[in-house]
Amino acid sequence: MTDTAFEAAGLGKRFGRRGGWALRDCALRLPAGRVCALVGPNGAGKSTLLALAAGLLAPTEGRVTVLGTAPAAARARVGYVAQDKPLHPQLTIADTLRMGAGLNPGHWDAATAERVVAAGDLDPKAKVRSLSGGQRTRVALALALGKRPGLLLLDEPMADLDPLARHDLMGTLMAQAAQYGTTIVMSSHVVAELEDSCDHLLLLGGGRVRLAGEIDDLLAAHARVAVPAGTDLAPHTVVESRTTGRQLTALLRPASPLPSDWRATTPSLEELVLFHLRNPDAPALTPAHEEAAA
Ligand SMILES: Nc1ncnc2c1ncn2[C@@H]1O[C@H](COP(=O)(O)OP(=O)(O)OP(=O)(O)O)[C@@H](O)[C@H]1O
């Protein structure tokens, strides 16, 4: 047992010798039992990071560790649902779950897998090829949860689910995390959907880690301010600022207590992410950067 579920140091991945870096110089540490939101713009490296953690890709440089060991050695304890939810189209749902049981001897949770399928009103005799995208997602999640993994890696799991199914499956995931201490890393573009369920954030941009840490700590390290245009924001770190008429609004990382006449509020998770996406040059805030600054 380890208290770190997912760790990377100097991690980089380049596709082909002449290709650009999909990920570069990534350092992160995710404690066990956390539910981590993995966010970032298209092409930021989210799927690459998840595939590296699942052991489906090898790093070009640096190292990645999951559940205290190399990804290839942890495969039996890691559930991974890729963005395209690969399943065997010619199998029925029941066959698919039987295959899950066969591949995971001694730790297959048939009741959970069957419950996830049943909640979608799916006929176990239906062939996978006859399912809609959202129904396929449900079967892929049933397979991953049935494995009762220590670490669950989900690449945009909710993208093709209707709002009710999202709500239902998010509840199932949270129950799994609470009951078994499963660590979940979940990529998504819908940040509002992650706000209630995730306690940890990893924001990637341009293949690098831009924000990492407990969401409460990251929110507390920022302030959204509205001040008269032209106000000098030094010495605070400015993540993003814009002036509209006579007002300047900005997301800051305060270096010291803010003047009492500034209107300052704590940002929402969505605001925190949006402001960082709008300004890809904003300085990173990760435990590695904090250690370097200390
Ligand atoms: N198999 C591959 N071969 C070559 N380049 C790749 C491959 N997979 C990913 N890339 C490149 O690596 C970079 C990161 O891609 P990745 O799929 O990890 O991003 P992402 O954050 O998951 O994006 P999205 O939000 O669009 O799913 C992109 O520039 C992409 O073109």
Side-chain angles (χ1 to χ4, degrees):
M1 196 60 193
T2 166
D3 60 355
T4 301
F6 178 17
E7 197 166 17
L11 181 64
K13 177 70 193 174
R14 184 160 65 168
F15 289 98
R17 250 187 279 170
R18 299 213 183 136
W21 289 89
L23 269 186
R24 196 83 206 261
D25 202 21
C26 275
L28 60 97
R29 181 183 167 273
L30 179 65
R34 298 293 197 281
V35 179
C36 175
L38 176 58
V39 300
N42 291 130
K46 303 180 295 297
S47 298
T48 303
L49 181 65
L50 290 172
L52 285 162
L56 297 178
L57 287 176
T60 308
E61 59 182 28
R63 67 174 176 83
V64 56
T65 310
V66 295
L67 303 173
T69 182
R75 246 180 226 147
R77 295 179 289 143
V78 175
Y80 171 58
V81 177
Q83 212 165 349
D84 54 359
K85 328 278 176 338
L87 292 169
H88 294 292
Q90 75 283 9
L91 294 186
T92 64
I93 296 176
D95 290 338
T96 304
L97 296 192
R98 260 194 293 279
M99 184 189 74
L103 289 173
N104 296 284
H107 62 103
W108 178 249
D109 181 351
T112 295
E114 280 159 20
R115 200 174 55 243
V116 171
V117 165
D121 251 346
L122 300 181
D123 176 2
K125 294 196 281 301
K127 290 246 164 85
V128 164
R129 66 165 175 254
S130 71
L131 302 178
S132 74
Q135 290 169 335
R136 228 171 276 204
T137 295
R138 186 175 280 281
V139 176
L141 281 169
L143 261 189
L145 286 168
K147 211 172 164 179
R148 199 176 288 169
L151 173 65
L152 190 52
L153 304 166
L154 305 174
D155 199 349
E156 292 188 40
M158 305 294 164
D160 47 13
L161 294 175
D162 69 57
L164 262 185
R166 278 171 191 236
H167 193 258
D168 166 46
L169 278 168
M170 200 63 120
T172 305
L173 291 175
M174 293 312 113
Q176 172 95 5
Q179 190 172 354
Y180 302 112
T182 312
T183 307
I184 301 178
V185 184
M186 180 170 16
S187 74
S188 174
H189 288 293
V190 189
V191 178
E193 176 174 282
L194 302 169
E195 190 137 30
D196 292 336
S197 1
C198 297
D199 46 26
H200 204 96
L201 178 73
L202 193 55
L203 186 142
L204 297 184
R208 291 175 189 267
V209 180
R210 308 231 356 251
L211 281 179
E214 297 296 309
I215 290 176
D216 287 347
D217 295 345
L218 290 172
L219 294 179
H222 291 83
R224 202 171 184 281
V225 299
V227 291
T231 303
D232 182 7
L233 298 175
H236 312 292
T237 302
V238 181
V239 174
E240 214 242 4
S241 70
R242 50 180 59 194
T243 302
T244 319
R246 283 190 227 157
Q247 181 161 281
L248 169 66
T249 53
L251 184 74
L252 303 179
R253 279 184 213 142
S256 52
L258 297 174
S260 55
D261 56 341
W262 287 15
R263 270 199 293 134
T265 51
T266 305
S268 66
L269 178 61
E270 194 167 23
E271 286 171 334
L272 182 75
V273 170
L274 268 181
F275 276 89
H276 280 84
L277 294 186
R278 271 196 212 130
N279 182 6
D281 296 326
L285 182 62
T286 71
H289 286 85
E290 279 171 27
E291 274 161 30

